[in-house]
Every structure is written in C-alpha cells, then in structure tokens.
Amino acid sequence: MWNPVAYAWTAWRMARALRDPEKLQDVLGLAPVLAPPVAMRRLVERLMSHASAAQAFIERPRVGLLHLAALRALPEHTLGRAFVDHLEANQVNPDALPYLEARTDEEYVRAHLLESHDVWHVLTGFPTTVAGELGLQAFSLAQVGSPFALGILAGGLTNTLLYAFSQREERMRAIVRGWLLGQRARPLFGAPWCQMWESPLVEVRQRYGLDLAAVDAVLDDPMRPAMEVRNPGSASSPQSC
C-alpha cells in the first residue's frame, strides 16, 4: 500500500545520497528501493546459473565474527592482514555495519554482499574514495548484475554531473576499471572468505582471475585491444565455510 511518509523519507535519503555519496547509511537505506523483492528474486535466479553461486546458496558461508587482533597478527601480504590493514587505514569499524539475517536466498545475497564489500575493496585495489566506491559498484554490477549497484552508479554519475564535474575522469576511469575486472574475473559471490584469511593475497587474486596489472595496462594504453586481457588462467574452487 502506498505510504506517503515512507516515500517522502526515501526521496529525502536519495537527495542526501546524491548530494553526498559518502553518507553510508543513506546509501544502504536505498537498498530496498533500488533492489525490490522482484528484482532480488531475478538476481537469485541469475546467480543460480553459476555452479559456485548455486553451491553458496546451499552452504551460505558468512564472514562471521571478525577477530581483528588475530587478523592483525597474520603475516604481511596475506588476505586477512591486508583486510585488517584496509579497515584501519580507512577507519572502518566492522561492528558499525548492520548484521543482516539470511533466512531466504534474497536475504543471503544482501548479507553476503554487505559482508564482502571491504574484502572486495582489498582484492580489487579500489580505495574508499567516491571514485573507488563507484569502481567497486561497477565491479559488482559486472559480477553479480545487482540493480543496487546500477542504482548507485546512476546516482554517482548524477552527483558527478551536478556537484563534482571536475572529478569526471577519475570516476569514469574507476568505473571502466571495475567493469573490466568484474567481467574478466571468476565469480566471487559466495566465496568463503573466513577460510582464506591466511592465504597470500596474490594467490587469492589468482584463484579468482583478478589480474589488476593487466587491466590497468589496458586503461593506461587505450590502443591495446581489450580482448588481450580476457583469458584468465585456471584455478581451483575454494571450499565453503
């Protein structure tokens, strides 16, 4: 049923997010609008066509409770150490993020993508700037086909047009980079990150076909054919938590 108060609240949040895309709670609050139940059901159906994602819906691995001291004690260049370094460098408090239940497939998609967000930052090398966040949403769109990611990109481009036109090149480069990385990589959705904290970061990237240097080379040399970086090597599938 149409609720004028709810719609007004959503419109206000959209306006604030467009004006200041760094307001995380406003952006997260738009998820039900940008990705309504029908869209989430279609997203689940698309993900089910991938064997690794279909298995993830059965096992539903979660990041779980983060023991930051234990991650900080890991050797340098491991995924877990790089992850906690990323959190601390960007003053990200994982406890501040809402914990989402995952009773249905649709809820699991939301929960897993939220929990994996900063892991994806580490794997893709995107900073937490507006440009970096847009790049990561382009990566998510290429990987998952999320309507939420597309909505954030649309909002980010609108923000660029209205408030930050001087940043257009930085943001567009990040978006193109994210799209290329996401198209080229193996599916990251459903990955059991908690089993890979002790793995070298370079090996995790190789496992998922994330060749950052090759994609960056394409962006640095626009005349280089994009197809030259579309053939990642083989890698074994990770086990679930």
Side-chain angles (χ1 to χ4, degrees):
M1 183 173 64
W2 185 71
N3 185 331
V5 175
Y7 273 76
W9 175 253
T10 299
W12 179 74
R13 275 195 156 175
M14 282 185 171
R16 288 220 318 176
L18 281 177
R19 183 67 181 85
D20 185 357
E22 293 186 359
K23 290 187 179 298
L24 179 60
Q25 292 305 319
D26 285 334
V27 174
L28 293 178
L30 295 176
V33 178
L34 299 177
V38 172
M40 290 301 298
R41 184 66 243 167
R42 291 172 181 168
L43 175 57
V44 168
E45 291 171 356
R46 289 197 300 271
L47 287 170
M48 285 286 194
S49 65
H50 299 280
S52 60
Q55 189 66 24
F57 281 115
I58 297 173
E59 299 173 349
R60 294 188 181 174
R62 303 287 299 266
V63 170
L65 181 65
L66 292 172
H67 300 281
L68 299 184
L71 294 177
R72 197 177 298 113
L74 291 173
E76 291 186 9
H77 309 302
T78 57
L79 175 61
R81 175 64 179 275
F83 178 68
V84 75
D85 287 348
H86 162 83
L87 296 180
E88 293 177 347
N90 293 283
Q91 299 181 326
V92 176
N93 178 9
D95 293 333
L97 293 175
Y99 178 81
L100 301 182
E101 297 291 341
R103 294 160 297 201
T104 66
D105 290 339
E106 292 84 355
E107 288 180 346
Y108 177 68
V109 171
R110 292 189 192 277
H112 180 71
L113 291 180
L114 178 63
E115 292 177 348
S116 299
H117 181 83
D118 283 292
V119 181
W120 286 20
H121 265 293
V122 173
L123 291 174
T124 59
F126 279 116
T128 57
T129 60
V130 172
E133 295 295 350
L134 291 177
L136 196 63
Q137 293 303 322
F139 178 83
S140 178
L141 181 62
Q143 278 271 303
V144 184
S146 165
F148 177 75
L150 184 57
I152 296 302
L153 285 170
L157 290 174
T158 303
N159 171 271
T160 305
L161 173 64
L162 298 178
Y163 304 111
F165 194 67
S166 63
Q167 299 178 32
R168 62 192 181 281
E169 290 190 14
E170 177 190 7
R171 294 183 180 187
M172 287 305 303
R173 187 185 195 280
I175 290 171
V176 173
R177 181 179 184 270
W179 179 262
L180 289 177
L181 281 172
Q183 285 281 296
R184 183 174 186 268
R186 298 181 186 87
L188 272 65
F189 176 81
W193 305 121
C194 62
Q195 292 188 359
M196 290 183 264
W197 293 137
E198 298 180 12
S199 300
L201 176 58
V202 65
E203 290 186 6
V204 179
R205 284 173 172 163
Q206 290 173 350
R207 180 180 300 179
Y208 290 99
L210 285 162
D211 192 342
L212 277 58
V215 171
D216 288 340
V218 172
L219 295 176
D220 293 335
D221 182 7
M223 299 304 294
R224 181 182 178 189
M227 289 302 294
E228 288 184 14
V229 295
R230 290 297 299 274
N231 298 305
S234 59
S236 58
S237 299
Q239 297 298 312
S240 64
C241 294

